[in-house]
Amino acid sequence: MSLTNDDNMSAHSQVSSHFFEDLLDSIIVDVASECHRVARLGLDRNFEEEEEELRLSAQARARVADSSNNGETNSKYVVDIFGQTHPPVANEIFECMNCGRSIVAGRFAPHLEKCMGKGRKARLKVTRSATAAQNRYTRGSPGSSYSSYSNSTGMNRLSNGASSGVAGEEYSNGSFEEL
Amino acid sequence: MSAKRSSINRPPTPDVDRDRENQEPTLQEIINIKMIESGEKERLKELLRERLIECGWRDEMKSLCRAYTRKKGRNNVTVDDLVHVITPKGRASVPDPVKAELLQRIRSFLASTAT
C-alpha cells in the first residue's frame, strides 16, 4: 500500500478504534446474554426482595423527610444534654458497596445482612462478579456451608466467566485479606 | 442476533452478485483476520473483559439489566432488549485508562504486522 505516513497513522487509528468497538460490543452482548439467562431462569435470589427493599428504603426516606413527625410519642426522640435531638430513623443515605443500591442508614444493617451474607439466601447468590468481599465472607462461614458453596454454586459461577474464574480462585485460596 | 457479529470476517468468495467484494479485502478485514488467526483477538477480548470486571463496569451493566428486567417483567425481556439497554451507557462508561490500554495493545499489534 502506497500510503504516506500520515495516512497510515489515521488509517491505523481508525482501524484500532473500530476494532476496540468491536471487542466492546462483543462483551456487551455477553453481559446482556448472561443477564437475560439469569432473568429468565430466575437465578437472581435478590430479585423478589428488591421490590420490598426499595419500598422500605423509600418509606424510611419519607419518614426522614417528613418534618411533622410524631416525635413526642417516640421514646427515642429525646433531647440530650447538649440539646440535640436524634431522629428515630438515621437520615443519611448511603450507597451499598456490594450491590450499589442507595439505602437509608436506618435500613442499612438489614440490607447488608441480606446482601452480604449472614443469611442462607445471600450465600447462595449467583449473580456475582469476582469480588473479594464475597469470597472473604464465604471463607469465614461454617465449614459445611462453605464447602457446599465453593464446590457447587459459587465456584461454578465464578469459573463461568473466563477471567473472573481466575481472580476468584486466587482470592479464595486464602492469602487475600484486604478489600 | 443482528448481523453485526462478524468475528469471522473472511473475504467472501468472489460472487457475481457482490462485485463490491471482488476487490482486495479492506485493511479492516485483513487486520481482523490476522488478529483472529494469531489468537490476539481472543487475548485482547479476555484482557478487556478482565479490566471491565475489575473496574466495576460489568456490575453497572448488570444492575442496569436488573432494573430494566424489574420494570418489564422477568419473562418479557429479550437479549436484544438488554443489548439496547446497555449499549449506549456501556460504550460511554468505559474508563479511559482501560480504553487506552487496549488501543495501545491493538496499535502495537498493527505496527508489528504492518504491511
Side-chain angles (χ1 to χ4, degrees):
Chain A
M1 296 194 191
S2 50
L3 297 172
T4 67
N5 226 11
D6 283 347
D7 287 346
N8 247 344
M9 290 305 286
S10 70
H12 272 202
S13 40
Q14 235 185 6
V15 167
S16 308
S17 311
H18 193 275
F19 197 79
F20 176 78
E21 293 287 315
D22 205 31
L23 287 180
L24 188 59
D25 282 345
S26 161
I27 290 181
I28 284 178
V29 169
D30 288 346
V31 173
S33 172
E34 183 183 331
C35 291
H36 174 263
R37 172 178 177 267
V38 166
R40 294 297 287 243
L41 295 182
L43 292 180
D44 187 359
R45 302 271 171 176
N46 269 352
F47 189 72
E48 317 82 49
E49 294 166 7
E50 276 185 11
E51 307 286 352
E52 187 64 21
E53 274 202 31
L54 286 178
R55 199 173 54 81
L56 290 172
S57 226
Q59 256 183 22
R61 256 181 291 213
R63 248 183 290 142
V64 159
D66 183 15
S67 50
S68 63
N69 54 34
N70 51 349
E72 302 84 37
T73 60
N74 190 333
S75 58
K76 285 197 200 132
Y77 202 41
V78 294
V79 180
D80 67 12
I81 60 172
F82 297 107
Q84 295 170 335
T85 57
H86 299 278
V89 175
N91 59 1
E92 304 279 316
I93 296 182
F94 296 102
E95 192 183 294
C96 170
M97 71 288 288
N98 213 29
C99 64
R101 276 180 254 157
S102 42
I103 311 283
V104 177
R107 297 253 4 123
F108 201 57
H111 167 77
L112 275 189
E113 274 181 352
K114 292 203 195 77
C115 181
M116 272 206 170
K118 172 202 89 162
R120 176 185 61 87
K121 279 203 167 184
R123 220 174 279 134
L124 290 174
K125 274 179 81 124
V126 294
T127 54
R128 282 272 153 237
S129 49
T131 51
Q134 190 68 9
N135 291 316
R136 194 154 49 100
Y137 275 104
T138 60
R139 264 191 292 121
S141 58
S144 58
S145 27
Y146 169 59
S147 51
S148 69
Y149 178 76
S150 60
N151 284 341
S152 56
T153 322
M155 282 311 177
N156 284 341
R157 287 308 303 164
L158 287 177
S159 58
N160 271 345
S163 56
S164 57
V166 173
E169 306 274 357
E170 219 170 46
Y171 294 156
S172 62
N173 273 344
S175 51
F176 193 76
E177 275 304 331
E178 65 194 71
L179 176 54
Chain B
M1 212 74 71
S2 72
K4 276 197 309 178
R5 297 192 69 191
S6 56
S7 48
I8 309 294
N9 191 20
R10 305 196 164 269
T13 50
D15 189 340
V16 280
D17 295 326
R18 306 188 57 200
D19 55 20
R20 181 174 63 91
E21 297 290 357
N22 261 347
Q23 319 304 327
E24 255 183 53
T26 67
L27 176 64
Q28 180 72 45
E29 289 168 340
I30 296 175
I31 298 295
N32 206 12
I33 290 171
K34 283 197 174 161
M35 283 269 190
I36 293 170
E37 285 181 346
S38 65
E40 186 70 7
K41 180 162 186 173
E42 197 60 35
R43 280 192 288 271
L44 290 175
K45 187 170 168 192
E46 283 314 306
L47 175 65
L48 180 58
R49 203 200 298 268
E50 197 179 311
R51 293 283 177 265
L52 290 177
I53 289 176
E54 286 171 0
C55 69
W57 177 93
R58 191 164 194 262
D59 292 335
E60 256 184 71
M61 298 301 116
K62 281 164 82 172
S63 105
L64 286 179
C65 289
R66 274 207 306 269
Y68 179 81
T69 300
R70 231 178 296 133
K71 238 181 24 181
K72 249 218 154 182
R74 218 189 60 181
N75 285 315
N76 299 335
V77 291
T78 65
V79 180
D80 217 38
D81 284 346
L82 293 179
V83 168
H84 284 115
V85 164
I86 52 182
T87 292
K89 182 90 199 289
R91 284 194 180 154
S93 64
V94 176
D96 288 333
V98 173
K99 186 167 183 180
E101 183 182 354
L102 262 294
L103 286 177
Q104 175 62 28
R105 287 276 296 253
I106 295 171
R107 274 194 228 112
S108 53
F109 181 84
L110 286 184
S112 70
T113 66
T115 42

